[in-house]
Amino acid sequence: MSDMEYSTLVIGGGIAGYTAALSAREAGGEVAIVAGRPGASSMSSGIFHTDADPGRVRDIALPEKNSFTENMNLISIAEPYHPYSILAGAHSPQEMLRAIDCFLKYLAEAGLETGGAADRYMLLMNNLGTMNRARFALKSIADGDVASPGKMKLAIIGIKGFADYDPGFIAASGDALARRISGEGFAKIDAFEVAVKGYENSDNMTTTQVAEALDEHEITGAFAETVKRNIAGGEYTHTAFPAVLGLKHHREVISGLAEYLGIAVFEIATLQPSVPGIRIMNALRSLATRKGITVIKGTAEAVDTGDDVIAATISGGSSVYGTPQKSRIAAGKVIVATGRFIGGGIEHGNAGDDIKGGGAGLVETLTGIIPICYKGHPVKGGTMMNFVTPTVAEPQPVFSCGVMVDAKLRPLDANGTPVHENLRCAGSIIGGYDPCRGKCGTGAAAVTGYFAGME
Amino acid sequence: MPELEFAYNNWYNSIYIMTGTNDYDVIVVGGGVVGTGVARDCAMRGFSVLLVEKKDFAGGTSGANMGMIHGGLRYLLFDVETTKLSCIDSGYIQNIAPHLLFRIPFITPVMKGDSHNIELVETFMEAYDVFQHYKGGKRHTRLSVEEARHVEPGLSEEITGAVTFDEWGINPFRLCVCNALSASEHGAEVRNHTIVTGFLRDAGAVVGVSMRDTFSGEESEAQARIVVNACGPWAQKAAGAAGAEVKLRPGKGINVFFDRRISNFAVAAEAVDGRQVVIMPHENTTMMGCTDDDFYGDLDHLEATHDEIEYLLEAVERVFPSIRKHRMIRVMSGVRPTLFEWRKIEDKLTREHELFDHEEREGIKGFITIVGGKLATFRIMAEETTDLICKKLGSGAECRTHLEPLPGGDDTVDIESIAAEYGMPLYVVKRLAFRHGTRCRNVLDITKEDRRAASIVCRCDPVTEAEIRYVIRHEWARTLDDVRRRTHLGCGPCQGARCNFRAAAILGDELKLDPPEIWSAGAAYLQQRWKGKYPILRGDQLAQEEINQAIYFAVGNYDEICDMTDRDKFANV
């Protein structure tokens, strides 16, 4: 086992981890990031939820257009355990917004343009036939903002054999929802289905299959021609495609389609494997490498918090050592961004629910010494049944469980004392918020990642 | 009783033309395996029949059992008659519905300190062997420790020996639907989602029922010469409404499902109270069950508890130590319609059935209750009931339900040639043929109308769009939960993550629903799946559920969609 020294070591290669690594690099010093198997960030829809529309979530009357910064003030009152609220002790809402801007800036530097604004919600369609509100998204998705449907003449293009995306249903359902939410339907909305060359007889194409096919110049060309033929004479202002317009060459595919069709082109978020999510992770990884961050492909096995220098044991193939081996990496600061259940940052063994047998409940997997909390209290030993409710539409406490942190993002032990001066947490391993129902997953990852790296 | 789901008015009106009062020879109340079985038998013997089910076929006990037409091994000690009847009828069911059956080899490991030593277990199995020939089962084999652990590597190192025996598994949902289909094809009128609101009385006799369609709210009445109460655990309440007495001692049981098959055999295990429980391969999952506890709650709102789940895990981990490492995906609760007896513990209650002739007992003419029994004895229960009806209505028609195949069970299916003919993957056709038998061709014909129907909607099973359309068109499916019972939609490891919204759109297309109704259907199914997920939400399944939450609540925005639908209407599914 050999020792390597970095000023910052980030464990976990999701949106929070890369944001932390990039901001730490910006702050100066040598940075390494351990990125193992893909986690929840690789499943990102490309829509960046930063904060829920508080009027909707908390059932209170609010002015229509709440800005991000106004919303931060509301959250700090209503959700005291939310990382936004905890960070509010040290940072102003404007600073938090700057953290999100910084994440968007990183994506732009990596070649992924984004769209949206901090003072309003866009209304974005998805392949479930519903719509959701978000302030930011990848530009290819943000361009589909249904701000004024009455002015949109929309052609929804489906792909033959890619049946998870039903353009007819998305059109009908989207129109009905637009009427409910905006009070007006689309000026025009039609559905088409177009075959991808080479896949005409496929019944069950996946997102990545379509995206990889469209990466081929020749296939995209033929595809664009067919689309143009289909929508000819329809006087559409926009064409919408499933978010599968290229994996490697998405910029060329999307701009090429828009140019050839002569109208706006946007993508509609689809299911996993999510092509936008893969694009985001690829982009962040290559940006990190470009900026001189050491990206280690491996798994952190343990964090040594015994003395002043903090260190992690890494296993697996690494870009540093070439061959799979165990290595010990010492760092001035370790940022744990290992995610929740998908990422594996938090686990619950089935055995953990046997209370008679002293079940452990939810555990933090890397250090094993940071308690997992719900609303500030460790959940150790309790049955999981206490953290779920029988109605699916109601909030489920289990999805707000996570590590408690202080305003410096240091994880806290059961007594509320930082576990280690130089240990930080970022992303969804931090509890106190439900990333899905709270509509704040990407925002919380970016904000906590940014401050954890910058501190 | 719960008001079910949401109103699909337009569709309803196009299917049924209500004429106010109808006359039938027989009205069967209850669409479980017994009710559909009685409706089939009566229709086959030439009676005019109306079958009324308040929810859906197999929506109660018939859909919440272990899916076995087992010979009743455990009843051998105290209830030999049930064992023999079960075995004989198991043989008949194999003849009439071969496509729905699958063999389940069992292994009973013996542990040090078990209440029975291996000699006793083997003697017991020898007694059971006597009945095996009735149901085409194999005789027992005694295995050494090494042999047992070789064929079932998951077994504990601490077993002292094992004995194998043989049982049959069945798809209980399809069994009920096939009975209803057969009844309908013999002229019966079949209605699900129709609740009986009262019995029509005439001078003490029961002469019909009043009912309400739970979708449209439309009320109607129908008269009949005989009304059969086949309501399972609800039979006591139904009998009471007719002024008759049927006394039950309902016993709640839960089954837990694990992702995929984790054992080669069904493994029997002794629970802490000496009861026998089992883990067994069932379709593409493993089932662990079941509990048996006196039930005093609301039959329409069953919830599994932490204790029930731990009781099963504790029992199984003794012989199959890795059980807690496997991924639980769902828990299912049901209530047995056990006949009332005082003093016995739940496990020792008889599984025999009883036919109540309320004319003879209480002077209520025209009213019969059939209750008790078990899945394997449903056909004989239906036969006895129909025999009594024949006697009362003066018919000499003979029972043929054990001779005439159920729909799809008339022939074997050549999976390979059908797969080639329709251009479908083999595994899709294999699963389809398991559910639909020879009628899988009728299902696949839909792909000729529109090739999109060949796509797989639920990858866990798999279930195609064509099958979903087929069961909506031809098998009375009106909700996604109905589709689930008929197709296994959303029953795999992801528990409806990918299929829910797509199936809702297909349901909408078939039933001409508008988008808000489609959202309601999706939201209702989301809740229906959640009901069986939240009690076992632990271990690796938490990661899967995080993905489901991201699809439906982050991207799909279903919390807002749920608000747009009528919450109360889907809360009770």
Side-chain angles (χ1 to χ4, degrees):
Chain A
M1 219 189 295
S2 51
D3 268 31
M4 287 286 293
E5 238 180 86
Y6 292 92
S7 54
T8 303
L9 173 66
V10 181
I11 298 166
I15 285 174
Y18 275 108
T19 306
L22 288 162
S23 74
R25 183 70 178 156
E26 237 171 67
E30 289 301 308
V31 179
I33 180 167
V34 182
R37 63 181 169 85
S41 295
S42 68
M43 299 181 196
S44 166
S45 61
I47 296 170
F48 303 140
H49 287 121
T50 51
D51 54 306
D53 183 346
R56 242 208 54 68
V57 172
R58 292 180 206 94
D59 230 18
I60 44 172
L62 281 168
E64 268 277 298
K65 281 176 182 168
N66 247 61
S67 72
F68 175 83
T69 45
E70 284 166 31
N71 215 355
M72 286 306 103
N73 293 326
L74 283 167
I75 288 174
S76 66
I77 298 163
E79 296 179 53
Y81 299 100
H82 198 297
Y84 288 159
S85 311
I86 290 163
L87 283 168
H91 304 279
S92 68
Q94 285 75 17
E95 283 178 287
M96 283 191 243
L97 181 57
R98 271 204 293 282
I100 290 174
D101 282 341
C102 210
F103 161 66
L104 300 175
K105 184 194 81 185
Y106 294 146
L107 286 180
E109 278 182 57
L112 273 178
E113 272 185 278
T114 58
D119 59 357
R120 61 175 290 268
Y121 291 102
M122 299 181 288
L123 203 53
L124 301 170
M125 301 170 83
N126 59 60
N127 79 322
L128 279 74
T130 60
M131 294 190 195
N132 72 69
R133 294 183 181 77
R135 298 190 193 277
F136 305 102
L138 289 185
K139 185 171 181 299
S140 61
I141 290 171
D143 284 347
D145 179 15
V146 187
S148 37
K151 287 179 188 148
M152 278 174 102
K153 292 182 178 175
L154 184 54
I156 308 237
I157 314 290
I159 286 158
K160 196 176 161 291
F162 175 49
D164 274 345
Y165 181 94
D166 179 346
F169 172 62
I170 293 167
S173 183
D175 194 46
L177 258 179
R179 280 171 207 281
R180 288 231 176 178
I181 296 171
S182 313
E184 58 172 3
F186 288 91
K188 184 174 184 177
I189 187 162
D190 294 317
F192 303 90
E193 215 165 44
V194 173
V196 173
K197 207 173 138 191
Y199 292 87
E200 291 88 349
N201 297 319
S202 184
D203 294 325
N204 298 296
M205 286 182 89
T206 63
T207 49
T208 44
Q209 255 179 343
V210 185
E212 279 169 0
L214 291 177
D215 273 341
E216 303 290 332
H217 190 71
E218 189 202 342
I219 293 179
T220 315
F223 178 72
E225 260 179 54
T226 325
V227 172
K228 194 167 190 173
R229 249 199 330 275
N230 268 283
I231 64 170
E235 295 178 342
Y236 297 103
T237 57
H238 295 74
T239 43
F241 295 85
V244 294
L245 297 179
L247 202 53
K248 275 186 194 147
H249 307 299
H250 51 92
R251 277 189 304 274
E252 294 81 350
V253 174
I254 295 165
S255 62
L257 267 171
E259 203 176 305
Y260 184 76
L261 299 174
I263 51 174
V265 165
F266 68 88
E267 290 185 302
I268 289 180
T270 65
L271 291 194
Q272 295 86 0
S274 169
V275 171
I278 300 169
R279 286 180 201 153
I280 291 165
M281 293 328 298
N282 287 346
L284 289 174
R285 190 184 311 115
S286 68
L287 179 68
T289 313
R290 217 164 72 212
K291 294 217 163 180
I293 295 167
T294 306
V295 179
I296 302 167
K297 216 175 163 191
T299 310
E301 284 189 343
V303 169
D304 174 10
T305 54
D307 47 32
D308 281 350
V309 180
I310 197 159
T313 309
I314 313 295
S315 74
S318 94
S319 66
V320 183
Y321 305 105
T323 50
Q325 66 178 79
K326 274 198 187 188
S327 52
R328 187 171 180 278
I329 296 180
K333 176 169 78 177
V334 170
I335 300 171
V336 180
T338 44
R340 283 196 192 165
F341 305 115
I342 298 173
I346 303 176
E347 256 179 18
H348 173 273
N350 283 333
D353 226 44
D354 181 4
I355 296 169
K356 272 190 295 184
L362 295 172
V363 289
E364 189 279 305
T365 53
L366 183 58
T367 69
I369 54 168
I370 310 172
I372 299 302
C373 300
Y374 176 64
K375 290 193 173 172
H377 298 287
V379 300
K380 203 172 172 76
T383 159
M384 291 310 296
M385 277 253 213
N386 295 339
F387 299 96
V388 283
T389 72
T391 305
V392 72
E394 284 172 5
Q396 301 299 332
V398 65
F399 296 112
S400 295
C401 289
V403 167
M404 265 290 279
V405 290
D406 65 7
K408 286 182 163 181
L409 295 166
R410 293 178 299 190
L412 304 177
D413 65 16
N415 303 319
T417 316
V419 168
H420 193 285
E421 181 53 36
N422 300 330
L423 198 58
R424 299 282 187 280
C425 282
S428 62
I429 192 168
I430 300 172
Y433 70 106
D434 180 334
C436 298
R437 291 153 196 273
K439 310 282 193 290
C440 61
T442 314
V447 170
T448 55
Y450 177 82
F451 287 121
M454 197 53 99
E455 288 286 327
Chain B
M1 294 204 178
E3 304 290 321
L4 285 166
E5 281 130 278
F6 25 82
Y8 290 161
N9 295 318
N10 300 340
W11 181 75
Y12 173 85
N13 290 334
S14 69
I15 298 289
Y16 299 123
I17 300 148
M18 302 295 287
T19 51
T21 301
N22 284 305
D23 280 309
Y24 300 92
D25 293 324
V26 183
I27 293 175
V28 183
V29 184
V33 73
V34 174
T36 55
V38 171
R40 176 180 192 234
D41 202 342
C42 286
M44 282 171 70
R45 293 200 219 185
F47 295 121
S48 62
V49 177
L50 169 65
L51 171 65
V52 189
E53 159 58 42
K54 69 170 181 164
K55 197 176 167 190
D56 186 28
F57 311 116
T61 312
S62 299
N65 49 70
M66 294 209 74
M68 288 172 69
I69 47 165
H70 60 70
L73 173 68
R74 67 190 211 90
Y75 313 123
L76 199 54
L77 281 176
F78 55 94
D79 201 357
V80 176
E81 198 51 28
T82 294
T83 306
K84 188 179 173 188
L85 274 183
S86 302
C87 286
I88 293 173
D89 241 63
S90 170
Y92 289 142
I93 296 165
Q94 287 166 44
N95 290 334
I96 61 169
H99 60 302
L100 299 181
L101 276 101
F102 48 95
R103 187 182 285 274
I104 306 177
F106 265 72
I107 193 163
T108 302
V110 178
M111 302 285 288
K112 215 172 173 180
D114 263 2
S115 46
H116 308 302
N117 65 31
I118 190 132
E119 303 301 335
L120 202 61
V121 172
E122 190 172 14
T123 309
F124 191 55
M125 294 305 176
E126 274 164 8
Y128 193 46
D129 284 347
V130 174
F131 300 97
Q132 282 287 12
H133 72 276
Y134 290 123
K135 62 185 182 78
K138 293 188 169 130
R139 299 171 73 89
H140 84 278
T141 312
R142 179 169 165 171
L143 301 177
S144 69
V145 175
E146 292 69 32
E147 287 166 338
R149 296 195 69 228
H150 180 72
V151 295
E152 187 52 69
L155 287 177
S156 161
E157 290 173 13
E158 290 175 20
I159 62 166
T160 58
V163 180
T164 67
F165 64 105
D166 198 36
E167 294 290 6
W168 290 92
I170 196 166
N171 180 328
F173 303 105
R174 296 295 317 170
L175 183 62
C176 290
V177 170
C178 282
N179 272 297
L181 276 171
S182 174
S184 166
E185 285 162 15
H186 284 93
E189 188 176 338
V190 171
R191 288 187 208 166
N192 57 351
H193 299 293
T194 302
I195 191 165
V196 167
T197 50
F199 293 99
L200 307 181
R201 306 296 297 270
D202 183 14
V206 170
V207 295
V209 301
S210 54
M211 18 182 198
R212 188 179 66 245
D213 182 289
T214 56
F215 280 69
S216 66
E218 197 161 329
E219 311 257 356
S220 61
E221 289 182 352
Q223 294 192 358
R225 296 156 78 190
I226 303 278
V227 173
V228 180
N229 167 17
C231 297
W234 288 269
Q236 183 166 343
K237 190 176 172 185
E245 192 185 30
V246 169
K247 209 158 182 209
L248 297 182
R249 194 177 146 190
K252 182 188 173 198
I254 70 151
N255 285 308
V256 175
F257 289 88
F258 289 84
D259 181 25
R260 297 182 179 83
R261 293 178 167 221
I262 60 182
S263 61
N264 298 319
F265 285 76
V267 180
E270 189 183 285
V272 66
D273 54 2
R275 284 187 64 243
Q276 202 184 62
V277 300
V278 68
I279 50 161
M280 65 177 195
H282 180 88
E283 306 208 12
N284 53 357
T285 59
T286 298
M287 205 183 229
M288 173 174 74
C290 47
T291 59
D292 190 351
D293 295 294
D294 277 314
F295 183 69
Y296 301 92
D298 179 354
L299 290 169
D300 294 301
H301 293 93
L302 303 177
E303 285 178 30
T305 66
H306 176 259
D307 289 353
E308 288 167 328
I309 296 159
E310 287 300 325
Y311 166 87
L312 292 174
L313 286 170
E314 175 192 55
V316 171
E317 95 183 309
R318 192 163 154 267
V319 290
F320 201 88
S322 66
I323 190 69
R324 286 182 190 274
K325 294 199 179 82
H326 295 282
R327 178 172 155 195
M328 288 191 275
I329 56 173
R330 188 166 187 82
V331 60
M332 166 177 90
S333 313
V335 174
R336 299 171 182 81
T338 346
L339 295 164
F340 185 86
E341 286 174 276
W342 190 262
R343 197 163 294 114
K344 281 186 177 173
I345 64 158
E346 297 96 323
D347 207 42
K348 296 284 183 279
L349 289 173
T350 180
R351 263 58 177 175
E352 276 184 51
H353 58 269
E354 194 167 340
L355 186 57
F356 293 75
D357 180 348
H358 296 291
E359 181 179 2
E360 211 168 75
R361 286 172 166 251
E362 294 125 325
I364 303 170
K365 205 165 168 282
F367 191 58
I368 294 172
T369 296
I370 175 74
V371 76
K374 49 206 281 307
L375 188 62
T377 54
F378 88 91
R379 199 209 57 82
I380 193 80
M381 291 168 74
E383 181 178 335
E384 286 174 17
T385 310
T386 312
D387 285 347
L388 180 64
I389 294 167
C390 282
K391 202 173 112 195
K392 287 183 178 290
L393 300 184
S395 163
E398 297 224 328
C399 178
R400 289 180 294 117
T401 54
H402 55 307
L403 304 172
E404 199 173 304
L406 282 167
D410 49 330
D411 202 353
T412 52
V413 181
D414 183 349
I415 309 284
E416 285 183 30
S417 72
I418 289 180
E421 184 185 333
Y422 289 89
M424 299 296 287
L426 271 175
Y427 68 101
V428 170
V429 179
K430 175 88 180 158
R431 295 294 295 163
L432 192 62
F434 166 66
R435 290 188 282 271
H436 297 267
T438 52
R439 294 194 178 185
C440 68
R441 281 180 171 281
N442 306 12
V443 177
L444 290 172
D445 280 342
I446 296 176
T447 64
K448 290 180 177 170
E449 294 168 21
D450 179 2
R451 188 62 197 176
R452 192 184 172 85
S455 68
I456 294 168
V457 178
C458 167
R459 285 168 174 79
C460 296
D461 194 270
V463 181
T464 59
E465 181 173 326
E467 191 179 0
I468 296 172
R469 291 189 184 275
Y470 182 86
V471 301
I472 298 165
R473 287 180 199 173
H474 303 292
E475 296 182 350
W476 306 283
R478 290 164 75 173
T479 69
L480 293 185
D481 206 23
D482 295 353
V483 172
R484 187 261 307 174
R485 286 186 197 94
R486 288 154 182 76
T487 66
H488 217 233
L489 177 92
C491 295
C494 86
Q495 287 287 307
R498 304 192 71 105
C499 62
N500 184 341
F501 71 96
R502 258 195 83 189
I506 296 164
L507 186 81
D509 189 43
E510 286 291 331
L511 302 185
K512 308 283 169 267
L513 307 180
D514 58 27
E517 286 173 315
I518 295 173
W519 308 330
S520 297
Y525 196 51
L526 206 58
Q527 172 61 30
Q528 201 286 333
R529 293 285 84 190
W530 181 252
K531 187 183 80 177
K533 282 195 285 188
Y534 81 85
I536 50 86
L537 199 55
R538 40 164 115 167
D540 294 342
Q541 195 62 6
L542 278 165
Q544 174 63 56
E545 189 52 32
E546 216 174 26
I547 297 175
N548 294 29
Q549 297 278 318
I551 295 173
Y552 287 92
F553 292 98
V555 175
N557 206 20
Y558 258 66
D559 35 0
E560 190 169 348
I561 297 296
C562 287
D563 281 353
M564 289 183 185
T565 62
D566 191 338
R567 278 183 160 204
D568 292 339
K569 277 184 178 161
F570 69 76
N572 290 335
V573 295

